[in-house]
Amino acid sequence: MIRTLALFLLVTPLLAFSQNQEDFSALSVDPALSEGADSVLRFEDIILDFSDEGKLKTTIDRIVTVYNKTGLRDVRAIAFYDNNSKVTDIEAVIYDLMGDEKEKIKKRDFKDYSAVDGGTLYADNRVLVLDYTPTRYPFTIRFTAETTSETTAFVRPWMPVSTYDTGTQYSRFSIIHKPEDSLHVKATNFEGYDIEVEETPEKTVWTARNLAPVTSEYKSPSFDKRFPRVKAYFDKFYLAGVPGIGGTWEAFGKWMYNDLIKETQQLDAEVVAEVQNLVKNLPDEEAKVRAVYQYLQDKVRYISVQVEIGGWKPMPAADVHRLSYGDCKALSNYMQSLLNAIGVKSYYTVLFGDPDKESLDTDVVAMQGNHVILGVQLGNEVKFLECTSQQTPFGYMGTFTDDRDVLLLTPEGGKLARTTKYNQEDNLERIVARLKLDVEGNLEGDYSETSKGIFYSPKIYLDTKDQKDLSDYYYENFSGIKSLAVSDIKLQNDRDKVIYEEQLKLNARNYASKIGEDYLAKINPFSWSNEMIPPRYKDRKSDFVILRGLIRQHEITFEIPEGYKLGAIAEPVALEEDFGSYQTQLEVEGNQVNYTRTFKLNEGTYPVDAYENYREFYKNVVREDNQKLFIEKL
């Protein structure tokens, strides 16, 4: 009966496609879906069949018309497999502009690649990929695949709009399961779209029709907050054949701790004694944890090792100690094992690592995340440690892991928490420069820069550069200053206070423009250019998001040469908006100008009708940043 139902689900929508289309011709696509698009998803039918206990059978039938090279990404003619899953069937058929079949590509013709990056020591993940280079556009491709897996922990989400600049004519997504296995569903962003849902005790089907393409916009909300999405999960599941329990985060976290983590934390007695001896004379728990964290950073390096239970089970702590390497799971687990040896409570912590602050979806109790860190209980506070980096200071998160919902694993069960948030006043970039202009119009002086909060993390790798690479870094950073030379570069990385200091001397020939015997010179050599102005849209559709508040300050002392005087100087500027502010001050003391400039952005989501004002704000900042001094010959 289930097989009959699956066949019916597969055939029925394809018949509907055939009835509504003359053929596979690109000429038959509705212009409302194709205009300005890189591709159009003509037809898609995805069936996830969980009806066989501990098994997942996935069938995909997708027809895409591709209009240009960018649209090739939307074909998605790939199939993953590993030791616990296999690709039972895969095929692609290529059609030309008129819809005539040109080529059929069988399974043996797909490229078989390792599905891991170059930083991975070992993993069993592989992927079959269609290797097809079209000779002309547009063309249409039909891709079909069938896979089976012993992992049911990951219910792939459905997004009928998968990328920007692609239209969707028809997309259908079905989940088949045993009636006694309750399916939990979270559907978001359906408003304004033609989407139907059919539910029975053993299946749920979503169907979307005629979704027009949408173009990416600067600082728009994240993709999954803008477009329809379905996430689903079951209370019971299998991970590479191993049964798991969900239902609540507490139960789910307890299962992860007991089945994936607990048995991997044994260390040899001599290692335990070594760590205990390391911290025996330290005054408090934080000092002890800092010492052990430094021990970790000095000893190990990051190498991805994706093995055992789908890559979710860390390699044993004893192996990490012996080999001195591991991935995020292994190194966080090793650090926890070291802290267990000195009696400090800590939590293996699962999260999404990315600069866009993606949180675990707390409404979906399921396998989530792509990264692991360690939370350490210090008094009433949990300090989070990034265990994959040998440069990151104790307790520092940076933009890869800051301010997002995460899952802590404890013997008692899973607990949701939130990582460190850096507020506006924490995120400071402060430039101080003492500059002097000579009678030839050349500029020289001292420059210092202080970076805190989110501005700290891009700086920590400057220590690894030689003097030439450092000089090149500053030449690129100060590209607006012509004929620049830098020297005497000094870097100071205060890992305890998490502050980065840069100091250098700079010299710029012919910095000032000569006008007869007078000069014209920018007061702020570090001013912003037009490249900082956000892009213009004739008809913007989305709100805009400022993910993190910040402050950028410039304090410049600008000395003019003897025998010259200052002409009229610009008035102070004060720009104030909901999303940010900008202020300047100029004070003249003899032949010296003291200039201060403070730029602030305020975290938040702002309405689409405020975007043009946001853009105008940046235009004004750039204009005011580039104010010039008129320097007259006496």
Side-chain angles (χ1 to χ4, degrees):
M1 180 177 177
I2 291 296
R3 290 195 194 93
T4 303
L5 174 61
L7 181 63
F8 174 79
L9 289 171
L10 177 65
V11 173
T12 301
L14 185 56
L15 288 174
F17 171 78
S18 300
Q19 292 167 1
N20 290 325
Q21 301 294 326
E22 295 179 5
D23 50 33
F24 291 95
S25 170
L27 301 177
S28 62
V29 180
D30 185 346
L33 301 180
S34 63
E35 187 174 356
D38 298 320
S39 69
V40 171
L41 178 61
R42 307 277 296 276
F43 168 85
E44 180 179 59
D45 191 45
I46 299 173
I47 301 173
L48 309 183
D49 187 349
F50 296 89
S51 56
D52 190 359
E53 180 74 20
K55 307 291 183 183
L56 167 60
K57 180 181 177 181
T58 302
T59 58
I60 299 172
D61 191 354
R62 180 182 300 120
I63 300 170
V64 181
T65 294
V66 181
Y67 294 98
N68 53 44
K69 186 175 181 180
T70 303
L72 287 173
R73 71 187 174 193
D74 305 324
V75 171
R76 290 176 288 142
I78 61 175
F80 292 91
Y81 70 98
D82 55 29
N83 290 341
N84 298 290
S85 62
K86 62 181 179 178
V87 180
T88 55
D89 190 28
I90 189 168
E91 182 181 87
V93 183
I94 311 297
Y95 301 88
D96 66 11
L97 171 67
M98 303 307 295
D100 296 325
E101 182 178 323
K102 303 302 291 183
E103 188 175 356
K104 184 173 288 186
I105 302 165
K106 295 290 190 178
K107 181 178 180 179
R108 64 179 177 272
D109 300 316
F110 279 70
K111 298 296 185 182
D112 191 335
Y113 296 112
S114 173
V116 295
D117 58 34
T120 301
L121 178 68
Y122 174 76
D124 61 11
N125 307 92
R126 300 195 65 82
V127 60
L128 293 179
V129 179
L130 174 66
D131 184 16
Y132 174 73
T133 302
T135 56
R136 62 180 60 186
Y137 296 96
F139 71 94
T140 298
I141 179 169
R142 181 181 182 187
F143 169 71
T144 55
E146 180 180 288
T147 61
T148 60
S149 175
E150 295 180 1
T151 291
T152 63
F154 305 98
V155 182
R156 64 184 291 165
W158 177 60
M159 296 191 73
V161 179
S162 60
T163 57
Y164 288 109
D165 298 312
T166 181
T168 299
Q169 180 178 326
Y170 183 99
S171 177
R172 178 169 174 150
F173 183 69
S174 307
I175 299 178
I176 303 170
H177 58 93
K178 293 187 293 186
E180 60 268 27
D181 293 337
S182 297
L183 177 68
H184 302 283
V185 172
K186 181 179 180 180
T188 54
N189 308 317
F190 276 23
E191 300 80 8
Y193 293 96
D194 182 4
I195 298 177
E196 297 176 358
V197 183
E198 305 169 58
E199 296 180 77
T200 70
E202 61 275 338
K203 76 175 188 297
T204 304
V205 181
W206 295 264
T207 305
R209 296 177 175 85
N210 300 322
L211 282 63
V214 175
T215 298
S216 176
E217 294 174 329
Y218 177 74
K219 287 196 176 296
S220 63
S222 61
F223 194 88
D224 62 351
K225 289 182 170 61
R226 296 187 64 188
F227 300 103
R229 182 168 187 157
V230 169
K231 292 182 178 181
Y233 66 97
F234 298 96
D235 290 341
K236 296 181 180 180
F237 54 84
Y238 289 82
L239 182 62
V242 177
I245 300 172
T248 66
W249 284 116
E250 181 180 1
F252 181 80
K254 188 171 185 177
W255 166 76
M256 285 192 73
Y257 178 83
N258 287 331
D259 284 45
L260 304 184
I261 309 300
K262 187 177 179 180
E263 299 304 320
T264 67
Q265 297 192 326
Q266 301 303 312
L267 292 171
D268 294 340
E270 58 268 27
V271 178
V272 173
E274 179 185 0
V275 176
Q276 290 175 342
N277 187 60
L278 175 70
V279 303
K280 66 180 181 181
N281 295 320
L282 297 178
D284 54 42
E285 281 199 339
E286 179 167 331
K288 294 177 181 179
V289 177
R290 283 180 178 271
V292 175
Y293 186 58
Q294 189 62 56
Y295 176 89
L296 170 91
Q297 292 184 309
D298 291 341
K299 179 171 177 55
V300 300
R301 68 190 190 280
Y302 173 83
I303 295 180
S304 181
V305 184
Q306 307 286 339
V307 296
E308 292 193 81
I309 314 189
W312 281 77
K313 187 181 181 72
M315 62 189 285
D319 288 349
V320 175
H321 185 85
R322 176 174 54 87
L323 298 169
S324 295
Y325 63 68
D327 61 13
C328 64
K329 303 182 301 296
L331 298 181
S332 298
N333 186 57
Y334 174 59
M335 180 67 186
Q336 183 171 36
S337 303
L338 296 175
L339 294 183
N340 289 342
I342 63 170
V344 175
K345 183 183 291 187
S346 62
Y347 313 107
Y348 186 94
T349 302
V350 180
L351 74 161
F352 283 108
D354 71 21
D356 293 331
K357 288 190 181 182
E358 183 179 1
S359 282
L360 295 184
D361 191 334
T362 58
D363 296 328
V364 179
V365 183
M367 302 294 289
Q368 296 185 57
N370 62 3
H371 191 47
V372 174
I373 57 177
L374 190 70
V376 182
Q377 190 73 54
L378 293 172
N380 296 323
E381 182 183 9
V382 175
K383 286 269 192 181
F384 292 98
L385 304 180
E386 174 56 70
C387 298
T388 63
S389 169
Q390 294 171 309
Q391 288 82 28
T392 300
F394 176 85
Y396 180 71
M397 289 287 92
T399 57
F400 190 66
T401 52
D402 69 321
D403 192 24
R404 65 203 68 196
D405 293 322
V406 301
L407 179 66
L408 312 182
L409 304 188
T410 78
E412 297 77 32
K415 297 180 180 179
L416 294 171
R418 197 159 183 95
T419 55
T420 307
K421 177 181 175 62
Y422 297 101
N423 296 311
Q424 184 181 63
E425 58 272 17
D426 301 318
N427 299 324
L428 174 65
E429 177 191 77
R430 181 171 177 255
I431 291 171
V432 177
R434 311 291 180 200
L435 307 175
K436 184 176 182 178
L437 192 72
D438 68 18
V439 294
E440 300 298 324
N442 303 318
L443 188 72
E444 65 177 3
D446 298 320
Y447 172 95
S448 68
E449 182 174 339
T450 302
S451 301
K452 301 179 181 179
I454 62 170
F455 291 112
Y456 174 88
S457 56
K459 303 293 186 178
I460 58 179
Y461 298 102
L462 292 181
D463 295 353
T464 64
K465 296 179 182 291
D466 59 27
Q467 284 297 308
K468 182 184 181 305
D469 288 341
L470 267 180
S471 297
D472 290 343
Y473 165 81
Y474 288 110
Y475 294 146
E476 183 178 351
N477 219 30
F478 302 149
S479 58
I481 307 176
K482 296 179 180 179
S483 303
L484 174 69
V486 298
S487 60
D488 199 19
I489 302 170
K490 297 176 182 177
L491 307 175
Q492 182 177 349
N493 183 6
D494 189 332
R495 286 164 53 95
D496 291 331
K497 295 180 180 178
V498 195
I499 298 174
Y500 205 95
E501 301 275 0
E502 303 162 73
Q503 294 182 350
L504 56 91
K505 294 185 181 298
L506 57 83
N507 179 284
R509 291 183 294 106
N510 302 317
Y511 175 78
S513 302
K514 197 167 183 60
I515 305 175
E517 294 186 325
D518 304 328
Y519 284 106
L520 201 62
K522 279 198 300 187
I523 179 63
N524 184 2
F526 319 107
S527 60
W528 287 355
S529 68
N530 287 334
E531 293 177 354
M532 295 295 293
I533 300 173
R536 181 175 178 270
Y537 298 96
K538 290 183 178 179
D539 184 23
R540 185 180 170 99
K541 303 296 185 184
S542 67
D543 298 342
F544 65 96
V545 179
I546 299 173
L547 281 175
R548 298 168 181 88
L550 56 83
I551 302 173
R552 305 178 86 163
Q553 294 179 337
H554 296 177
E555 300 175 14
I556 298 170
T557 300
F558 197 103
E559 184 179 331
I560 66 173
E562 294 291 337
Y564 286 82
K565 69 174 183 177
L566 286 167
I569 63 172
E571 293 293 321
V573 174
L575 306 175
E576 192 77 35
E577 303 288 350
D578 289 342
F579 45 74
S581 63
Y582 174 84
Q583 293 181 333
T584 64
Q585 289 286 340
L586 289 90
E587 295 180 356
V588 178
E589 296 180 2
N591 66 338
Q592 180 176 292
V593 181
N594 298 320
Y595 169 86
T596 61
R597 174 253 207 209
T598 303
F599 174 89
K600 295 182 179 181
L601 281 182
N602 303 326
E603 179 181 329
T605 299
Y606 299 92
V608 62
D609 56 9
Y611 180 80
E612 190 53 40
N613 194 29
Y614 175 72
R615 186 171 179 274
E616 191 67 24
F617 171 72
Y618 268 87
K619 288 172 66 176
N620 291 333
V621 168
V622 170
R623 185 185 67 246
E624 298 298 338
D625 253 13
N626 286 275
Q627 291 283 358
K628 293 182 171 61
L629 295 173
F630 185 58
I631 304 167
E632 299 179 85
K633 176 82 171 168
L634 289 174

